[in-house]
Amino acid sequence: RAAKAEAEAASERALNEVSEPLMLTAKLLAFRQHIETLEQNARDRFKKARETWKLVVVRDRLVANVLESFSSPQHLALMWRRTYVTYVGEEGEDAGGLTADLHASFWREVLQPEHGIFERLTEGGAHLPRSDADGDALRRVGRMLLKSVLDDHPTGPALSSFVLEFICGAHEARAFRMERPRDALRLLAACDADLAQNWTAMLNAPSADFAAFGLTLDYFDESLPAEPLAATNVARAVVAGCRRKLLVDRHAALVALREGFTLEGRLDLGVQLAQHSNTDLSLLLQGKPTLSAQDLLDCFDWSDPCCAAVTYLRELLQDAGAFDATRRQLLLRWCTGRNVLPVSGLGSKVTFAAADVPQNEVSDGRLPEASTCFHEVRLPSNLSKDMLRARFDQALDEFALQGGFGRQ
């Protein structure tokens, strides 16, 4: 009995446990070292392959352009090339920033309904692959997901964490255990919070209430018998219902996505990824879902302020009234091209430069500028703190409206 209880506890930890920061860092380092080993092996194998993947993108056709690039049978070698992105009609030299923007933009846009690849079960829920999505398109999305993982570009939290469970092959062992129905409900809640709440209430209901529900097991899953729902079988029903919603209704689509992610079995990270809990897996592959003021402050190099505006900006970033959670995420994207912060932080901090402006600069309306290519923010130097905040508000508002970078 004690051994069974420990096994159940271990299963719950495997799905839900959040590692301590030092342990998570160690896991991340081990995973990145494994990828570096794979990369070196690939470079030894593909010695004659080009080192750079030059990707020319029309911004309003970004998803189509990216998916077209993964139609080549050479995508195994492509996975290990350094990406160099050029946006048609936009300035910019890709020193990493445009590549970050490409990954971030792709994972925002590919989830949109017009592409017919992903769907939400309810408004505001996480995205799952559509059951009727084109299999080849899903395989190409899977290859892009692999490229994002290999190059450490988190996708953001909009993709269901169940998809991550499936691509690493851990879903049956961790998500759908009859003795652990709350694990399945937690994954469902990210996609359909109301349904998960209703089924949780049934799971917690006293035996006397089940007759009033008037439900049979096949309501949850057609493969179950039409016997009345009861306290003795509600866990089985709930797990089967979660499994149907998340897996059975879209199994072929999930398989196609995983085929792409593993390059049809030629590059499978499943064993390494399955060692992480679902919560840690989401952090590693999707990045930090929220950005604290300290997280954002740590993205910048404050060591050598080029002007007073740098000090003012640091003070503003510590003020929740000036930069709330939504504004912090927008600022991160404005100056780095990323949707989310990697769990390990930025590899290269954002630096500052003072804009070369005339003495009457305050009246000429100059705005802060970001170079995502070189992780640099150029600040008008002759501004008060209040004026700097107003100019940042204008710069970020214009950036949010245009959805892209006029200058890199």
Side-chain angles (χ1 to χ4, degrees):
R1 183 176 301 174
K4 180 179 180 181
E6 175 57 30
E8 291 178 358
S11 174
E12 184 176 18
R13 289 195 301 270
L15 189 69
N16 303 323
E17 184 181 63
V18 182
S19 295
E20 293 295 328
L22 288 177
M23 180 61 71
L24 184 60
T25 299
K27 290 180 178 180
L28 176 62
L29 286 174
F31 182 60
R32 298 313 308 177
Q33 287 171 356
H34 175 71
I35 289 177
E36 289 173 6
T37 300
L38 293 176
E39 180 178 10
Q40 185 58 54
N41 292 340
R43 291 191 182 281
D44 292 342
R45 178 181 176 186
F46 301 111
K47 291 181 178 179
K48 295 183 179 181
R50 294 190 303 271
E51 293 188 0
T52 302
W53 174 32
K54 295 184 178 180
L55 184 57
V56 179
V57 176
V58 178
R59 191 172 285 278
D60 61 6
R61 295 194 69 250
L62 185 146
V63 170
N65 289 163
V66 170
L67 295 186
E68 287 165 6
S69 72
F70 283 108
S71 62
S72 167
Q74 301 301 317
H75 44 67
L76 177 58
L78 179 151
M79 286 297 164
W80 304 108
R81 295 179 193 164
R82 184 180 72 84
T83 308
Y84 187 95
V85 175
T86 301
Y87 282 113
V88 175
E90 297 184 21
E91 298 179 17
E93 178 183 345
D94 190 5
L98 291 178
T99 293
D101 176 66
L102 174 81
H103 284 268
S105 298
F106 178 84
W107 291 112
R108 284 195 308 272
E109 295 178 20
V110 74
L111 303 175
Q112 300 307 309
E114 59 264 28
H115 297 294
I117 299 174
F118 292 93
E119 66 178 351
R120 284 172 162 170
L121 300 184
T122 58
E123 184 66 28
H127 292 78
L128 291 161
R130 290 175 52 134
S131 60
D132 61 349
D134 178 72
D136 187 52
L138 281 163
R139 278 183 281 272
R140 297 185 192 190
V141 171
R143 293 167 196 151
M144 181 59 175
L145 179 57
L146 176 62
K147 183 66 172 169
S148 293
V149 170
L150 294 177
D151 292 354
D152 199 18
H153 290 285
T155 66
L159 193 64
S160 165
S161 61
F162 173 73
V163 173
L164 307 183
E165 285 290 291
F166 188 88
I167 63 171
C168 71
H171 58 289
E172 292 292 359
R174 299 203 306 208
F176 303 125
R177 298 182 63 200
M178 190 175 70
E179 63 270 26
R180 306 292 321 171
R182 297 181 197 281
D183 291 348
L185 284 166
R186 188 180 71 84
L187 292 170
L188 178 64
C191 301
D192 191 334
D194 290 341
L195 183 59
Q197 184 177 18
N198 290 339
W199 286 359
T200 299
M202 292 181 185
L203 196 64
N204 296 332
S207 299
D209 289 357
F210 281 88
F213 294 150
L215 297 175
T216 55
L217 297 187
D218 57 346
Y219 162 79
F220 295 87
D221 183 10
E222 294 177 353
S223 67
L224 297 180
E227 63 183 66
L229 184 69
T232 55
N233 60 24
V234 65
R236 175 189 178 193
V238 164
V239 171
C242 293
R243 190 174 188 275
R244 176 177 61 83
K245 285 283 186 178
L246 297 172
L247 174 63
V248 176
D249 287 354
R250 64 196 77 253
H251 185 262
L254 286 162
V255 168
L257 187 67
R258 188 173 193 278
E259 286 175 349
F261 182 75
T262 63
L263 299 185
E264 291 72 29
R266 287 179 291 167
L267 182 56
D268 193 348
L269 300 176
V271 172
Q272 288 73 33
L273 294 175
Q275 296 177 24
H276 302 284
S277 70
N278 184 260
T279 303
D280 284 354
L281 193 62
S282 298
L283 283 171
L284 293 176
L285 303 191
Q286 298 182 317
K288 293 187 175 182
T290 58
L291 189 67
S292 70
Q294 190 59 52
D295 287 333
L296 189 55
L297 285 166
D298 289 343
C299 291
F300 296 91
D301 182 357
W302 307 100
S303 61
D304 187 20
C306 59
C307 59
V310 174
T311 302
Y312 295 153
L313 177 60
R314 186 171 191 173
E315 293 172 358
L316 289 171
L317 294 183
Q318 294 171 314
D319 180 358
F323 282 90
D324 60 13
T326 301
R327 211 66 171 166
R328 290 194 293 267
Q329 292 286 164
L330 184 60
L331 178 60
L332 177 74
R333 186 176 154 223
W334 176 76
C335 62
T336 69
R338 292 178 177 270
N339 290 331
V340 290
L341 186 66
V343 68
S344 57
L346 292 181
S348 175
K349 290 183 181 292
V350 178
T351 59
F352 297 100
D356 185 15
V357 296
Q359 289 298 315
N360 66 343
E361 175 274 328
V362 172
S363 64
D364 74 6
R366 188 180 298 249
L367 300 179
E369 297 176 345
S371 171
T372 60
C373 293
F374 300 103
H375 277 201
E376 182 182 80
V377 171
R378 293 180 287 274
L379 297 174
S381 57
N382 192 21
L383 291 178
S384 68
K385 182 177 176 180
D386 288 342
M387 184 63 75
L388 181 68
R389 176 178 177 177
R391 297 285 175 85
F392 254 107
D393 283 342
Q394 183 180 347
L396 293 177
D397 288 343
E398 291 182 2
F399 172 73
L401 284 174
Q402 73 181 17
F405 297 88
R407 179 175 179 179
Q408 295 296 324

